[in-house]
Amino acid sequence: MAQPAWQEPVLLPVDTAPVPEYGSGSLCDLLPTLVAGQGVPGFTAAIPELAPADRNCVFLIDGLGWEQIGAHPDEAPFLHSLLPTSRGGTGRPITAGFPATTATSLASVGTGLPPGEHGLPGYTVRDPGTGELMNQLRWRPWTPPKAWQPYPTVFGLADAAGVRTAQVSAPAFERTPLTEVALSGGSFLGRLSGEERMDTAAERLAAGDRSLVYTYYSEVDGMGHRFGIDSDAWRGQLMYVDGLARRLAEQLPARSALYITADHGMIDIPFDEQSRIDFDEDWELRAGVALLGGEGRARHVYAVPGAEADVLTVWREVLGEQFWVASRDEAIEAGWFGPRIDERVHGRIGDVVAAARDDVVITASVNEPHESAMVGMHGSMTPVEQLVPLLEVRS
């Protein structure tokens, strides 16, 4: 896999990675902007083009990137009508944040903070206190939630300021640690079907003079992972969720704004040796590595003490034409995780961080068999993964 001796690799400079638009146009800026317009103290409108509304609803569709909506006008006619290319559409893309993955993005949405502050900077990251990999989506091994993410949620602060606040999602998510640290505050209303969620979200939106409602749908992401975004199964889910969005929009009470967004986009990765690099079978990449974290397109690499520089050198030599490969300090300095890094978060970031530019992933067939078998992937800073919709409907 290394370059032939006579061919010098053309490394991707760290500063050429398209860093998310923290502070002006990313997921962590959405709720602060909305509640600032509702008069909640301590918040400012980071996305000033969003006009204030008394009642705000956020519908987050897991895995539905900006580029996927634009590419599927027939399957998503309602969502497509909200794009700026359509008559009357005012939607725009915003950035998810790095890495572009569910746990990180949901924490950014709910806390209004970038990953370097809320402290969920990847799918799996090392817990500096135990030395173990922590899966921040499934919360394994168990870690006290408030110790891992101590900041209050925007929902909680809005609720305390008198805004009628609710989350409408699958019942199974009500008591998860991720919900506790990212999406709690006000009322949680578990509803099984997508239609029930849309109807309940509209009802809760109308229940207060000032209200903030969040609702969520996951199976666009699920079908993408299992079958890819070029599959009939994925297109079927896109058609279904387009109908859900229309259903919610048609029920908006007066003085409301609905914002439809996502946590990341997705890209299909072919099953061949050039596109899927298996860490568990690659002696060069494994050398000096104690733990491999993150996911296929956004890796945190934790070196054996003393081997950090060697691991960085090898990963750059092997992957540097296809991945942006940075040391921890370089990634922090470049702003990949936001403008500020909390001290408690510093050691969660890999000694080496690798973000894919090309259509390639680093799998781990032995240690991550489920993730390695996925068709659709995400995590990095490319537009297809990073750009998510911010589509607006007002009543």
Side-chain angles (χ1 to χ4, degrees):
M1 286 175 50
Q3 292 289 326
W6 62 86
Q7 183 180 344
E8 287 292 330
V10 182
L11 305 182
L12 297 177
V14 171
D15 61 5
T16 64
V19 175
E21 297 178 5
Y22 302 115
S24 61
S26 74
L27 281 175
C28 65
D29 303 310
L30 178 55
L31 285 189
T33 298
L34 302 187
V35 300
Q38 293 175 309
V40 177
F43 292 98
T44 57
I47 310 177
E49 61 267 34
L50 302 184
D54 293 328
R55 297 163 170 155
N56 289 300
C57 182
V58 174
F59 179 20
L60 193 144
I61 303 169
D62 199 318
L64 184 58
W66 173 262
E67 293 194 1
Q68 283 91 66
I69 296 175
H72 294 86
D74 294 336
E75 292 87 352
F78 177 70
L79 296 175
H80 200 270
S81 73
L82 303 177
L83 299 180
T85 52
S86 300
R87 181 179 299 178
T90 60
R92 56 161 285 190
I94 57 175
T95 57
F98 181 74
T101 196
T102 298
T104 303
S105 291
L106 294 188
S108 293
V109 169
T111 65
L113 299 171
E117 294 179 59
H118 64 59
L120 280 71
Y123 175 59
T124 60
V125 299
R126 183 180 63 186
D127 181 344
T130 66
E132 295 180 287
L133 279 181
M134 160 68 168
N135 186 310
Q136 297 179 113
L137 186 62
R138 296 179 174 84
W139 219 262
R140 299 174 184 159
W142 171 258
T143 304
K146 290 300 185 182
W148 193 259
Q149 198 300 98
Y151 290 106
T153 68
V154 179
F155 297 107
L157 295 171
D159 185 68
V163 176
R164 191 76 172 266
T165 306
Q167 301 84 34
V168 185
S169 191
F173 295 142
E174 180 174 6
R175 301 193 184 280
T176 67
L178 182 58
T179 294
E180 180 181 346
V181 303
L183 302 170
S184 61
S187 303
F188 185 99
L189 302 168
R191 299 292 185 269
L192 283 174
S193 76
E195 290 82 3
E196 288 178 304
R197 290 177 211 165
M198 300 305 104
D199 296 348
T200 302
E203 291 168 4
R204 297 299 294 185
L205 201 58
D209 289 332
R210 292 185 301 158
S211 50
L212 175 65
V213 177
Y214 166 91
T215 188
Y216 171 82
Y217 185 76
S218 66
E219 275 307 296
V220 174
D221 178 75
M223 291 298 107
H225 280 309
R226 288 193 284 277
F227 303 109
I229 59 172
D230 194 32
S231 67
D232 288 342
W234 184 86
R235 291 188 182 93
Q237 279 296 312
L238 178 57
M239 294 171 66
Y240 177 67
V241 84
D242 187 74
L244 292 182
R246 183 188 294 273
R247 183 185 184 106
L248 178 53
E250 290 175 347
Q251 298 184 71
L252 290 181
R255 299 181 287 116
S256 295
L258 166 64
Y259 295 98
I260 302 164
T261 190
D263 52 349
H264 55 76
M266 190 171 285
I267 183 171
D268 290 352
I269 303 297
F271 284 87
D272 58 57
E273 291 184 359
Q274 290 73 40
S275 304
R276 293 175 178 255
I277 302 165
D278 191 347
F279 172 85
D280 289 336
E281 300 294 332
D282 192 299
W283 66 268
E284 287 183 284
L285 294 182
R286 292 201 319 273
V289 175
L291 289 172
L292 180 70
E295 58 199 291
R297 291 184 57 78
R299 285 296 185 185
H300 288 279
V301 186
Y302 304 94
V304 173
E308 294 87 353
D310 291 338
V311 171
L312 176 62
T313 297
V314 170
W315 276 62
R316 278 191 170 142
E317 288 177 351
V318 174
L319 302 170
E321 292 185 276
Q322 299 174 293
F323 282 74
W324 292 284
V325 180
S327 68
R328 176 191 292 123
D329 289 344
E330 288 171 336
I332 290 173
E333 179 65 25
W336 288 12
F337 300 97
R340 190 171 74 86
I341 306 295
D342 277 12
E343 183 178 351
R344 78 184 204 289
V345 181
H346 189 272
R348 300 178 190 177
I349 297 170
D351 296 304
V352 174
V353 185
R357 182 197 66 176
D358 295 349
D359 297 356
V360 60
V361 294
I362 300 168
T363 62
S365 60
V366 176
N367 290 306
E368 299 175 356
H370 174 70
E371 291 87 347
S372 298
M374 291 177 174
V375 180
M377 302 278 198
H378 54 79
S380 192
M381 286 180 276
T382 67
V384 71
E385 299 158 281
Q386 191 63 223
L387 295 182
V388 296
L390 184 58
L391 308 180
E392 182 178 359
V393 181
R394 285 184 171 258
S395 63

